[in-house]
Amino acid sequence: MGLMKVYSGSEILANALLEKLEAAGVETLKKDNIQSARLGGYGGMDLAVEVFIQETEFAKANPVIEDFRMSI
């Protein structure tokens, strides 16, 4: 069992997806590269926020992810 990246992009959209996944009962992990870079004293415009789920929960998360992608 491992983590699967399901989104990479802006923090606002990542938070919206996180809310939808958690409402569907899917555990999520958010990796904020922008915040990490800022705290480390460097930055870059190509950094993004990433959302991960457990591979075993993909079947439950996929309809939510597809609905989210179609709505943006």
Side-chain angles (χ1 to χ4, degrees):
M1 291 189 288
L3 293 175
M4 169 186 279
K5 182 169 40 172
V6 295
Y7 177 79
S8 179
S10 76
E11 184 174 14
I12 294 170
L13 291 176
N15 288 337
L17 179 57
L18 281 170
E19 287 179 18
K20 290 179 183 287
L21 287 169
E22 290 172 357
V26 177
E27 291 187 39
T28 61
L29 174 71
K30 176 178 150 183
K31 182 178 176 188
D32 190 341
N33 294 318
I34 298 167
Q35 184 71 2
S36 296
R38 187 185 68 77
L39 292 174
Y42 62 94
M45 297 306 292
D46 60 337
L47 301 174
V49 177
E50 299 171 327
V51 176
F52 295 87
I53 62 167
Q54 289 289 334
E55 289 177 344
T56 56
E57 293 193 310
F58 180 73
K60 184 171 30 170
N62 191 43
V64 176
I65 296 165
E66 289 302 317
D67 182 54
F68 175 77
R69 287 183 179 160
M70 296 302 288
S71 69
I72 56 173

